[in-house]
Amino acid sequence: MILSNIKKPTLLIDRKKVEININTITAKTKKSGIIFRPHFKTHQSNEVGKIYKELGINKITVSSVGMANYFMNDGWEDITIAFPLNIRELPEIQEIASKIKLNILISSSAQLQNIDICINSPIGFFLKIDTGYHRAGIDYRMTDEIDELLKISSTNPLLSFKGFLSHFGNTYGAKNINDIIAIYHSGIQKLLALKTKYQKKYPEIIISIGDTPSTSLIEDFGKIDEIRPGNFVYYDWMQKNLGSCREEQIAVAVACPVIDINHQRNEILIYGGAVHFSKEFVIDTNRQKTFGSIVELSHTGWSESVEGCFLKSLSQEHGLIHADQAFMPKVKTGDLIGILPIHSCLTANLLKESYLII
Amino acid sequence: MILSNIKKPTLLIDRKKVEININTITAKTKKSGIIFRPHFKTHQSNEVGKIYKELGINKITVSSVGMANYFMNDGWEDITIAFPLNIRELPEIQEIASKIKLNILISSSAQLQNIDICINSPIGFFLKIDTGYHRAGIDYRMTDEIDELLKISSTNPLLSFKGFLSHFGNTYGAKNINDIIAIYHSGIQKLLALKTKYQKKYPEIIISIGDTPSTSLIEDFGKIDEIRPGNFVYYDWMQKNLGSCREEQIAVAVACPVIDINHQRNEILIYGGAVHFSKEFVIDTNRQKTFGSIVELSHTGWSESVEGCFLKSLSQEHGLIHADQAFMPKVKTGDLIGILPIHSCLTANLLKESYLII
């Protein structure tokens, strides 16, 4: 890695760590005999997609029609858009469905109403089920609603029912690893009950789940059929705090130029702000509001996070690091400093045009 | 405005409100006889830049070298980069300085060290002064440091000292209007003392300040020479909460497709998440954590914010609105709903490629 070429905040992607992260989950899914359909919303990059492809992945998840289009144009032929159907984009969805194997998400009858007019290619659909996160989807107890949706969809031979899909997003708010595992088991129990009920009529249906915390911690996926985590490819400081990864698994750091140093306040001003990191933060173990953790960069990668140092605030382009007294003499204006982001998905989205695979 | 063409989260920019916002500040600066050098980091758009140009603005502020380049390429010829010098970008800065009138910011001697080698065109510089925000700049009391910087810079005839520049960013954390005004007066007092001390030797120097809250509330800028607010062009829910604007001055709303409606929880799921809004929030008067305020869209603009409704959470692409019971029957899947953003600068940055001037 040629650090001297970096002039502005740049996402460094450690290819080796990315490969290990992918291989770790792949191995678990192979052992459990289930489908691994990673979520590409985290990286949104054809270059990172290529790493996945080299490691044998051929089914992917995305969270927007635009992303489906982007990855289809790079040769991906089996895509699930894991976001409930936006009926305003039906013409664009039809365009993609006419070319590749596409699955969409349905969570209400209103979404189905315009499909007959706009879609004239075969398309798969999952029913989006809410097992307790309460963001999107049909409440898992509402089997009347599920029956109604399946009845409406059955009149259209182009629509094939693929199964039940859920995102256990409440694991992100879990207090500890045991909580995450409990949310996982409670969620799959609900989904399995649905599968049992409906598979008599639809023998091919599957259960698909997606969050990084639970899919990182669970070793044996038992009766699940498919997982769709995304964040695990990079992980981040939030996942490390949650306990779903170890720090050395974090595969991205943002290289930021050092702009100024304040010795009175033990602060380092960097070029790197909310337009590079977003505004996500965690309350760290020392009870500090933390927008990122600090690492030292080298030509081969980065160090462990430096104790006593953290990104304490962000404005649009500025970031302010609180540094330990011992760290201050190591840094000078014009250096590059590394930041492990709080939420790698949002950071990678903002640095889509400023990254480097090392 | 043709709402039916909108398929994904789109920033609606109300040209009339933008013009009023620009004219209001312009009129105050003319009355006070000072320079108005608006900050273009808020909109980052040549189209909005054109509105400014039509209203007589010809000096601008930006917060990155990339932005300076972008606006220079659209014909702007007098630009201040209001971000302390990133010495890694000196070659790019030289390129711009060779073509237009450019001012940069200096806050330490380390920043000056490489200038002699890299810069061979005339360039203006401001000393960045910290009057109490404690993000960046030289403490206003450190006149020894100021003396040293002026001494170093005086050896280079290409460098011309323009004056003292400050950003009263602490006004954003103010509790009320009186607080904002107090921060403003305390800040300018410190800057005026510096100007008085140094203008004997440098008779041309000016004082430049920048935040939207104080420049919106102050009517007579007195002895200040230049203001550089940016956010005022759009304002947002945060500024409205601070008291620096009225709701009807907010000139942007994000049009978001309605994806699903949950009648049990009075919630509306929209396509519009952290990759469109960023993750900024305010604690609203009802003590709710609010990621945006809700308005009804029409073909000519948008309504007042709907009472009892607010954007309660954001994930990457999803937004979840808590709606008042009375509002629920008005909304159906596939509609567009408007969101007044919390922080328009971050939202506009994320929607740079998805906006509509109405």
Side-chain angles (χ1 to χ4, degrees), chain B residues 172 174-177 180 235-247 250 281-288 290 293 341-342:
Chain B
Y172 288 81
K175 286 195 182 63
N176 53 48
I177 292 179
I180 295 172
Y235 287 118
D236 50 36
W237 200 249
M238 195 192 285
Q239 294 299 324
K240 186 243 155 204
N241 265 19
L242 267 175
S244 35
C245 72
R246 299 181 312 281
E247 186 187 320
I250 300 175
F281 61 86
V282 295
I283 306 298
D284 228 330
T285 40
N286 54 5
R287 297 190 163 275
Q288 296 284 1
T290 300
S293 199
I342 298 301

Side-chain angles (χ1 to χ4, degrees), chain A residues 6 86 88 107 135 260 315 334, chain B residues 6 88 107 135 260 315 334:
Chain A
I6 295 177
N86 172 18
R88 291 183 164 251
S107 60
R135 180 181 64 179
D260 205 351
S315 33
Chain B
I6 295 177
R88 291 185 164 249
S107 60
R135 180 181 66 179
D260 206 350
S315 32

Side-chain angles (χ1 to χ4, degrees), chain A residues 3 6-7 41 63 67 86 88 92 107 111 135 259-260 275 279-280 315-318 334 349, chain B residues 3 6-7 41 63 67 86 88 92 107 111 135 259-260 279-280 315-318 334 349:
Chain A
L3 292 172
I6 295 177
K7 289 163 178 282
K41 79 180 173 74
S63 56
M67 261 183 242
N86 172 18
R88 291 183 164 251
E92 290 76 10
S107 60
Q111 290 162 358
R135 180 181 64 179
I259 300 299
D260 205 351
V275 296
K279 273 268 196 171
E280 200 97 58
S315 33
Q316 183 162 343
E317 314 267 350
H318 304 70
N349 176 66
Chain B
L3 291 173
I6 295 177
K7 290 165 177 280
K41 78 181 172 74
S63 56
M67 264 184 239
N86 172 17
R88 291 185 164 249
E92 289 77 10
S107 60
Q111 290 161 358
R135 180 181 66 179
I259 300 299
D260 206 350
K279 273 267 194 170
E280 200 98 56
S315 32
Q316 183 161 343
E317 314 266 349
H318 303 71
N349 176 65

Side-chain angles (χ1 to χ4, degrees), chain B residues 60-88:
Chain B
I60 68 169
T61 308
V62 297
S63 56
S64 73
V65 177
M67 264 184 239
N69 207 47
Y70 172 84
F71 287 112
M72 176 184 75
N73 290 336
D74 199 47
W76 295 91
E77 294 178 334
D78 188 343
I79 301 179
T80 295
I81 303 175
F83 184 88
L85 177 65
N86 172 17
I87 59 174
R88 291 185 164 249

Side-chain angles (χ1 to χ4, degrees), chain B residues 112-148:
Chain B
L112 285 172
Q113 273 157 19
N114 295 282
I115 283 196
D116 292 355
I117 309 161
C118 299
I119 299 292
N120 50 42
S121 300
I123 194 164
F125 75 93
F126 284 91
L127 291 181
K128 165 86 174 176
I129 302 296
D130 179 12
T131 62
Y133 180 32
H134 299 333
R135 180 181 66 179
I138 308 152
D139 187 303
Y140 69 99
R141 293 163 298 197
M142 303 280 203
T143 47
D144 284 357
E145 204 173 325
I146 294 172
D147 289 338
E148 194 207 337

Side-chain angles (χ1 to χ4, degrees), chain A residues 175-191:
Chain A
K175 286 196 182 62
N176 53 49
I177 290 178
N178 290 339
D179 258 19
I180 295 172
I181 293 173
I183 292 167
Y184 169 85
H185 285 295
S186 148
I188 59 162
Q189 225 172 356
K190 294 163 187 169
L191 295 173

Side-chain angles (χ1 to χ4, degrees), chain A residues 101-327:
Chain A
K101 202 167 157 187
L102 183 70
N103 300 314
I104 57 172
L105 245 61
I106 298 294
S107 60
S108 81
S109 56
Q111 290 162 358
L112 284 172
Q113 273 157 18
N114 295 281
I115 283 196
D116 292 355
I117 311 162
C118 298
I119 298 292
N120 51 41
S121 300
I123 193 164
F125 74 93
F126 284 91
L127 290 182
K128 165 86 176 176
I129 302 296
D130 178 12
T131 62
Y133 181 31
H134 299 333
R135 180 181 64 179
I138 308 153
D139 187 304
Y140 69 99
R141 292 163 298 196
M142 303 279 202
T143 48
D144 284 357
E145 204 173 325
I146 292 171
D147 289 339
E148 193 207 338
L149 291 175
L150 291 175
K151 196 177 150 197
I152 301 172
S153 64
S154 68
T155 61
N156 184 335
L158 292 170
L159 285 173
S160 63
F161 177 41
K162 294 292 179 186
F164 299 104
L165 182 147
S166 193
H167 174 62
F168 303 160
N170 34 350
T171 56
Y172 288 81
K175 286 196 182 62
N176 53 49
I177 290 178
N178 290 339
D179 258 19
I180 295 172
I181 293 173
I183 292 167
Y184 169 85
H185 285 295
S186 148
I188 59 162
Q189 225 172 356
K190 294 163 187 169
L191 295 173
L192 285 171
L194 286 178
K195 185 178 171 184
T196 306
K197 179 172 162 61
Y198 288 92
Q199 82 184 145
K200 291 156 207 151
K201 195 164 175 193
Y202 303 94
E204 304 288 309
I205 55 170
I206 68 166
I207 283 176
S208 172
I209 64 148
D211 64 299
T212 279
S214 77
T215 48
S216 296
L217 293 171
I218 297 295
E219 282 304 316
D220 180 358
F221 294 106
K223 290 180 179 165
I224 284 177
D225 302 293
E226 176 179 277
I227 60 167
R228 314 176 318 278
N231 177 282
F232 77 94
V233 69
Y234 292 161
Y235 287 117
D236 51 36
W237 200 249
M238 196 192 284
Q239 295 299 327
K240 186 242 152 203
N241 265 18
L242 267 175
S244 35
C245 72
R246 299 180 311 281
E247 186 185 321
E248 61 267 31
Q249 290 177 284
I250 300 174
V252 285
V254 183
C256 294
V258 171
I259 300 299
D260 205 351
I261 294 165
N262 189 304
H263 291 279
Q264 285 77 45
R265 294 196 301 267
N266 283 347
E267 284 175 359
I268 300 163
L269 179 71
I270 57 167
Y271 180 14
V275 296
H276 310 102
F277 290 102
S278 186
K279 273 268 196 171
E280 200 97 58
F281 60 87
V282 295
I283 306 297
D284 228 330
T285 39
N286 54 4
R287 296 189 164 276
Q288 296 285 1
K289 195 173 178 179
T290 301
F291 291 89
S293 199
I294 313 306
V295 294
E296 290 180 78
L297 299 176
S298 70
H299 286 275
T300 53
W302 54 85
S303 71
E304 275 182 54
S305 62
V306 184
E307 219 160 309
C309 298
F310 60 97
L311 191 54
K312 67 173 263 192
S313 70
L314 290 174
S315 33
Q316 183 162 343
E317 314 267 350
H318 304 70
L320 205 53
I321 291 171
H322 172 82
D324 188 80
Q325 190 118 29
F327 186 63

